[in-house]
């Protein structure tokens, strides 16, 4: 399964009013191209911090569902965040990690996630539930139950390397992304 | 202003009162020795302020960004050394996305420092803040702490830009020898 296909399948399982933080790089561009919404905030830098932003949001908006779409390179850059999420233990926090064992946005250089299973690190830190999907069929099956779990929960999705040709860039400016997201969060 | 227990230093009470008066109800922090006074006063006298512990300072700015996106006005408290690992979050998330944070920085490396590892970042910190366009104010006495912090917070949240308050060691280190005036 390509990453763009996996991102699309996960996005299709998420109602547009769920608050979503997306890591920097191609994952955000793939979500934006497939299904943009004001409730989706795309990081353009600050690699590693999507889960930290999601944690702050989950603390202050406990009645909303918070989804963090992340990559293996991003998680590995800020692993302390897994501990912070587990310690705060927000029930509304859902962490989806697209894992291609590579820095896919910068030329597919290897990460270490082929030897470090990220969902097991999250489980050891104290996430309530963690899962791994190896294929498109398994992802679809897992998605029917993942978002019904009590968080914090992590779903790691194995994806192929490579980028979809012709994928667009996120059009709104960073300040516009902040303003529209904040309205949809407070609204 | 809430009542504060008598054995905490007045500068620390002023910081808490200033944060509260600026309507910041969330403080994300990585602690140090002087800031532990501030944290104790928040815990005892400002129970409506939420305290969130981060594992490192860059993460604190990420959590603060999430709090702002969720509708709050966040403060980040850190030691000056922690600015070093926060610069990527500040320059590639908070500044371009116009996410305001009130920064309360406990200074090291200035007058009275004993640890040489604290000196390069501590002495460079005002110049680094200038270089990335973050305005900063200094708390130089216990009397001006509350007002300085409050105005910094109001400026940050009003303009949607970060604003830093530097707690000078000449003030905070007094608490370790505990002068009569404190």
């Amino acid at each position: 399964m390509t990453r763009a296909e996996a991102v699309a399948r996960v996005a299709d399982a998420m109602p547009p009013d769920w608050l979503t933080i997306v890591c920097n790089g191609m994952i955000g561009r793939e979500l934006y191209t497939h299904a943009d919404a004001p409730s989706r905030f795309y990081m353009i830098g600050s690699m590693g911090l999507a889960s930290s932003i999601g944690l702050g949001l989950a603390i202050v908006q406990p009645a909303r569902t918070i989804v963090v779409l992340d990559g293996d390179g991003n998680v590995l850059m800020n692993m302390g965040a897994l501990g912070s999420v587990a310690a705060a233990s927000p029930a509304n926090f859902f962490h989806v990690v697209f894992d291609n064992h590579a820095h896919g946005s910068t030329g597919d250089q290897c990460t270490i996630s082929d030897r470090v299973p990220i969902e097991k690190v999250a489980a050891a830190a104290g996430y309530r539930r963690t899962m791994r999907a190896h294929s498109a069929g398994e992802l679809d099956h897992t998605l029917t139950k993942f978002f019904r779990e009590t968080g914090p929960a992590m779903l790691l999705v194995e994806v192929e390397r490579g980028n979809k040709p012709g994928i667009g860039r996120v059009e709104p400016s960073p300040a516009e992304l902040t303003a529209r997201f904040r309205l949809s969060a407070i609204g | 202003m809430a009542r504060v227990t008598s054995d905490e230093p007045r500068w620390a009470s002023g910081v808490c009162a200033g944060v509260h008066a600026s309507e910041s109800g969330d403080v994300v922090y990585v602690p140090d020795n002087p800031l532990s006074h501030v944290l104790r006063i928040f815990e005892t006298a400002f129970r409506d302020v939420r305290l969130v512990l981060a594992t490192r300072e860059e993460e604190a700015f990420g959590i603060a960004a999430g709090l702002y996106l969720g509708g709050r006005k966040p403060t980040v408290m850190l030691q000056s050394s922690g600015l070093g690992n926060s610069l990527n979050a500040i320059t590639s998330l908070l500044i371009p996305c116009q996410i305001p944070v009130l920064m309360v920085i406990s200074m090291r490396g200035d007058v009275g420092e004993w640890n040489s590892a604290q000196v390069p970042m501590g002495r460079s910190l005002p110049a680094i803040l200038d270089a990335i366009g973050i305005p900063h104010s200094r708390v130089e006495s216990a009397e001006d702490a509350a007002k300085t912090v409050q105005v910094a917070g109001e400026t940050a949240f009003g303009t949607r830009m970060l604003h830093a308050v530097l707690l000078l060691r000449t003030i905070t280190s007094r608490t370790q020898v505990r002068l009569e005036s404190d």
Side-chain angles (χ1 to χ4, degrees):
Chain A
M1 173 173 43
T2 66
R3 188 187 53 232
E5 187 186 345
V7 168
R9 282 170 191 264
V10 172
D12 290 345
M14 295 166 23
D17 65 311
W18 288 5
L19 300 173
T20 305
I21 307 293
V22 194
C23 69
N24 63 320
M26 292 303 295
I27 293 170
R29 294 170 60 180
E30 285 163 352
L31 177 70
Y32 177 79
T33 304
H34 177 73
D36 180 39
S39 59
R40 296 177 176 169
F41 181 84
Y42 309 90
M43 279 189 349
I44 52 162
S46 63
M47 185 161 169
L49 286 185
S51 52
S52 302
I53 300 170
L55 174 58
L57 195 55
I59 289 170
V60 75
Q61 293 284 349
R64 304 286 292 270
T65 298
I66 312 299
V67 181
V68 174
L69 301 187
D70 228 336
D72 51 297
N74 258 272
V75 175
L76 290 165
M77 197 172 270
N78 183 24
M79 280 182 108
L82 298 179
S84 292
V85 168
S89 204
N92 58 335
F93 185 97
F94 296 90
H95 199 169
V96 181
V97 180
F98 300 96
D99 185 359
N100 59 0
H101 306 331
H103 292 290
S105 303
T106 58
D108 277 342
Q109 301 90 342
C110 290
T111 67
I112 54 172
S113 64
D114 57 327
R115 285 150 287 164
V116 180
I118 289 170
E119 87 282 19
K120 290 187 180 169
V121 178
Y127 274 52
R128 282 207 179 84
R129 189 88 163 90
T130 61
M131 307 175 180
R132 175 180 284 251
H134 302 81
S135 65
E138 225 175 271
L139 175 60
D140 286 344
H141 176 71
T142 307
L143 281 172
T144 60
K145 52 187 179 182
F146 175 67
F147 289 120
R148 290 194 213 131
E149 299 284 347
T150 301
M154 179 183 283
L155 168 59
L156 185 138
V157 187
E158 293 184 4
V159 295
E160 296 160 14
R161 291 188 188 185
N163 299 322
K164 188 175 173 179
I167 203 86
R169 289 189 188 277
V170 174
E171 286 291 332
S173 73
E176 287 167 345
L177 290 172
T178 300
R180 69 176 206 168
F181 185 94
R182 206 158 184 259
L183 278 177
S184 66
I186 302 167
Chain B
M1 192 179 107
R3 203 166 51 81
V4 169
T5 50
S6 57
D7 54 345
E8 298 290 359
R10 280 183 300 134
W11 68 264
S13 308
V15 168
C16 294
V19 168
H20 194 258
S22 76
E23 298 182 353
S24 174
D26 303 85
V27 177
V28 193
Y29 69 95
V30 176
D32 79 347
N33 214 349
L35 291 176
S36 60
H37 295 289
V38 179
L39 290 165
R40 272 199 298 275
I41 296 166
F42 273 131
E43 281 168 0
T44 54
F46 295 87
R47 289 172 178 266
D48 55 335
V49 173
R50 175 175 18 223
L51 299 175
V52 182
L53 171 63
T55 57
R56 72 200 297 265
E57 293 81 357
E58 181 179 37
E59 187 197 19
F61 283 95
I63 294 170
L67 291 168
Y68 181 76
L69 289 172
R72 308 287 294 183
K73 296 175 178 176
T75 295
V76 172
M77 289 205 315
L78 66 158
Q79 189 182 71
S80 51
S81 54
L83 184 73
N85 77 42
S86 305
L87 288 173
N88 189 45
I90 292 170
T91 58
S92 73
L93 175 66
L94 281 80
I95 291 175
C97 294
Q98 292 181 19
I99 295 175
V101 164
L102 167 61
M103 300 166 64
V104 175
I105 304 178
S106 168
M107 292 301 296
R108 292 289 304 265
D110 49 2
V111 177
E113 182 60 62
W114 58 270
N115 181 349
S116 59
Q118 292 282 1
V119 172
M121 177 56 75
R123 290 194 182 164
S124 312
L125 185 136
I128 292 171
L129 292 177
D130 287 338
I132 59 176
I134 297 182
H136 45 95
S137 319
R138 294 148 58 106
V139 172
E140 294 176 354
S141 71
E143 290 70 31
D144 68 9
K147 193 70 185 168
T148 303
V149 172
Q150 177 182 347
V151 169
E154 288 170 349
T155 306
F157 303 126
T159 60
R160 297 182 198 170
M161 290 168 59
L162 295 107
H163 198 112
V165 176
L166 315 187
L167 308 176
L168 301 189
R169 196 166 155 76
T170 46
I171 303 300
T172 61
S173 63
R174 281 188 188 180
T175 60
Q176 287 157 13
V177 285
R178 196 162 294 287
L179 297 183
E180 280 297 313
S181 63
D182 274 328

